[in-house]
Structure formats: C-alpha cells, structure tokens
Amino acid sequence: QVQLVESGGGLVQAGGSLVLSCSASGAINSINTMAWYRQVPGKQRELVATITSGGSPTYADSVKGRFTISRDNAENTLYLQMNSLKPEDTAVYYCKARTQIYGTAYWGQGTQVTVSS
C-alpha cells in the first residue's frame, strides 16, 4: 500500500505561482512513475504532468513552459511548481503513484487550486 498526501493548494491571482507537494509513505520502494492530475467539477480528470523514477518529465500541452514537475526520492516527495497561473488552471489537483510491479495506481485526496482573474 502507498499513501499519498497533497499540500500547497490555495487561492492565487492570475500570473502568480504555487508549489504543490505530495508526500508518499508506505511501500514507497514499489513506486515507479508519479504524476499530477487535475479535475474540474463536471469534467474528467486530466493529466497535467508525469515523471519517471529516473526523473524524466512529460507535460500536457496546456501547462508546458509554465509548470515543472520534480521528485525528491530521498524525501519521498513529488512537487509541482506552477508559474504564470491562469484562471483555467483552477481545479482540484491530485497526486498519483504507480507501482513498478503490477502497475497498481494510488491517489491522494486532492488539493484545491483557485486562480482569480
């Protein structure tokens, strides 16, 4: 079992920045890829960014150049640096971890990000 706890969400003005954190515990040695997703009420959860165990990132086109995903394996923490925030970035942001064997997915409880115009 892997437990994930997100933090760092909040209210920010357009153009501002936030850093989200996701702290992992439990069977952390089994974790392979980690990712950030976001969801707006009434819409499907969408992928924001992923990062492999080796640190290779990928991004959704909508956040490229503005968001940076990183992970500190020693601290078992995933980060999402969000710059130049837009009102359309408003969502609940979720952390996801996938295990190396079986590919089991674990989710955090989510953290709200609200960007005012």
Side-chain angles (χ1 to χ4, degrees):
Q1 293 282 336
V2 174
Q3 294 79 44
L4 303 171
V5 178
E6 301 98 333
S7 61
L11 174 64
V12 63
Q13 288 189 332
S17 298
L18 278 176
V19 179
L20 303 183
S21 300
C22 172
S23 178
S25 61
I28 55 176
N29 291 331
S30 67
I31 295 174
N32 186 9
T33 301
M34 299 189 77
W36 288 101
Y37 284 72
R38 64 187 181 188
Q39 188 170 25
V40 174
K43 293 190 176 181
Q44 284 192 330
R45 195 169 294 187
E46 67 168 348
L47 178 64
V48 175
T50 66
I51 188 166
T52 66
S53 57
S56 296
T58 60
Y59 298 95
D61 288 343
S62 59
V63 306
K64 276 181 184 176
R66 299 189 299 121
F67 290 11
T68 302
I69 188 171
S70 62
R71 63 193 287 178
D72 185 333
N73 291 329
E75 295 294 329
N76 306 316
T77 304
L78 177 72
Y79 299 99
L80 186 68
Q81 173 73 50
M82 305 186 294
N83 298 328
S84 302
L85 283 161
K86 305 175 181 180
E88 50 264 43
D89 294 318
T90 295
V92 177
Y93 284 72
Y94 296 90
C95 171
K96 176 185 176 182
R98 189 175 289 279
T99 60
Q100 188 168 5
I101 300 175
Y102 304 121
T104 304
Y106 295 92
W107 293 89
Q109 83 288 350
T111 185
Q112 175 71 47
V113 172
T114 303
V115 184
S116 64
S117 57

